Amino acid sequence: MQYLFLYLLLINAASFVLMLVDKYKARRNLWRISESCLMTFALLGGSVGSLLGMYLVRHKTRHPKFTIGVPVILIFETIAIIWFYIHFFS
């Protein structure tokens, strides 16, 4: 369980940083981080970090792919974690 917590902490931190870096690059017209990369990190467990990054720096908040997709991913990840916990640790 500790490894799962550590993994989720790291992947969410990485997702948050990716959102910050992409926002920085967007403001300066630099080479951007692809949307597929940002969504992949959210799918790999970083949906909380992605959501925080989106709304704290107002990045990707006009894209339905992100404003709908990331919360849906978060819901499925929450369900998966609860299911995993119930089946393997109770």
Side-chain angles (χ1 to χ4, degrees):
M1 189 66 159
Q2 292 172 341
Y3 292 117
L4 177 62
F5 178 75
L6 180 61
Y7 170 78
L8 289 174
L9 184 68
L10 292 174
I11 195 74
N12 279 289
S15 296
F16 182 78
V17 168
L18 283 174
M19 283 290 184
L20 294 178
V21 169
D22 194 48
K23 178 67 174 194
Y24 173 84
K25 289 182 171 195
R27 287 185 171 175
R28 285 157 180 79
N29 291 322
L30 299 172
W31 191 268
R32 304 277 303 278
I33 297 170
S34 68
E35 288 186 352
S36 62
C37 177
L38 296 172
M39 288 300 283
T40 299
F41 271 79
L43 281 168
L44 291 173
S47 56
V48 172
S50 294
L51 276 174
L52 286 173
M54 283 172 54
Y55 289 106
L56 288 177
V57 297
R58 296 180 185 172
H59 188 55
K60 300 288 186 189
T61 55
R62 293 185 182 183
H63 299 265
K65 177 191 231 179
F66 286 89
T67 58
I68 295 169
V70 176
V72 168
I73 292 169
L74 176 60
I75 290 167
F76 280 111
E77 288 175 350
T78 303
I79 291 168
I81 289 170
I82 291 168
W83 180 87
F84 184 79
Y85 182 81
I86 289 171
H87 283 67
F88 293 103
F89 292 104
S90 62

